[in-house]
Amino acid sequence: MHKNWTKTDWLRHCLILLAGLFIMAFGVAFSITADLGTSPISSVPYTISLISPLTVGTATIAMHCVFIALQILILRKKYHPFQLLQLPVAFIFGYLTDFAIWVLQFIHCDTYWERWIICGIGIVVIAVGVSLEVISDVVTLAGEGLSLAICQVAPVRFGNMKVIFDITLVIIACILGLIFTHRIQGVREGTVAAAVFVGLLTKFFMRFYYRRMGRKNSAASR
């Protein structure tokens, strides 16, 4: 994988990945602060943080570890050891998420329209972070990795699998909230907005980047 990359290439792409993780973490934090529902991938960790001593970041790390284990179980001998880089990436992203939530704790939304402004900022920021993560082309996040793993053993397109995967996470978050708090937690109209617009904005940012760099947007066409 990436056999033609020099050490400088690796450094540049890793820095892009770290920038993407940092920006994504703040996007998640904005979504949580808005209190209109988190993005689908963050709905389960957020709900777990409400019903357990775990922080959102720690719950995110735990969830990604489960995703990595599932990839190994699904792919078995086909699992590429390089994908184990998802593990340190998960820890970095989890810690950055907790840091971002701590930084943004000064923000208070008193009205519904203020919540939507913060939610909108979160959606845009998440999309920027995701586009950088994909552009870095180093390693996928564990959630996307699990979707790709399922696509390797089942006759389903990645785009369709990603939708199924996100819906499954939202359902799990709703069930956990109902069981432990008797109400749905972390899933609201903002979750729907994130599910619709994060992907669209990610493709827009990636096209803009590749157009500026004069490169073909292969990743965005998956």
Side-chain angles (χ1 to χ4, degrees):
M1 186 175 288
H2 310 309
K3 293 180 179 179
N4 297 325
W5 282 9
T6 64
K7 290 182 179 179
T8 302
D9 291 331
W10 271 105
L11 178 60
R12 183 174 70 253
H13 283 264
C14 286
L15 288 175
I16 293 174
L17 174 61
L18 289 174
L21 294 176
F22 182 83
I23 293 172
M24 262 193 290
F26 271 87
V28 171
F30 273 113
S31 297
I32 291 173
T33 301
D35 197 26
L36 286 179
T38 63
S39 61
I41 193 67
S42 301
S43 59
V44 172
Y46 177 69
T47 303
I48 291 175
S49 73
L50 297 177
I51 62 178
S52 74
L54 300 179
T55 64
V56 176
T58 303
T60 298
I61 293 171
M63 183 181 72
H64 281 228
C65 288
V66 172
F67 290 164
I68 294 170
L70 289 174
Q71 289 177 58
I72 296 172
L73 289 174
I74 292 171
L75 295 178
R76 299 175 184 262
K77 293 181 179 180
K78 293 182 180 180
Y79 183 80
H80 199 295
F82 183 84
Q83 294 302 319
L84 286 174
L85 282 177
Q86 291 174 359
L87 188 58
V89 167
F91 275 86
I92 293 171
F93 182 58
Y95 291 136
L96 285 175
T97 299
D98 281 343
F99 172 73
I101 292 173
W102 175 77
V103 169
L104 297 182
Q105 63 184 334
F106 70 93
I107 297 178
H108 299 284
C109 302
D110 298 320
T111 63
Y112 188 65
W113 67 268
E114 288 177 331
R115 295 181 187 278
W116 267 114
I117 290 176
I118 299 301
C119 180
I121 293 173
I123 290 172
V124 174
V125 173
I126 289 175
V128 172
V130 172
S131 65
L132 289 175
E133 177 250 322
V134 176
I135 288 167
S136 72
D137 200 25
V138 177
V139 65
T140 61
L141 290 177
E144 185 181 35
L146 179 56
S147 296
L148 289 169
I150 295 173
C151 290
Q152 290 186 46
V153 299
V156 58
R157 294 174 61 87
F158 174 75
N160 296 334
M161 187 62 241
K162 188 66 170 64
V163 172
I164 295 172
F165 180 74
D166 286 346
I167 292 174
T168 301
L169 290 179
V170 170
I171 292 174
I172 292 173
C174 290
I175 292 174
L176 288 174
L178 289 172
I179 290 175
F180 292 97
T181 68
H182 307 295
R183 56 178 292 196
I184 294 176
Q185 301 279 6
V187 178
R188 287 185 55 180
E189 54 269 41
T191 305
V192 177
V196 173
F197 291 108
V198 168
L200 294 174
L201 288 172
T202 297
K203 289 182 179 181
F204 170 79
F205 290 131
M206 289 179 64
R207 288 195 192 101
F208 175 79
Y209 170 81
Y210 284 114
R211 192 179 300 119
R212 289 291 298 271
M213 297 301 293
R215 293 165 55 188
K216 183 179 178 181
N217 186 353
S218 60
S221 62
R222 287 185 298 180

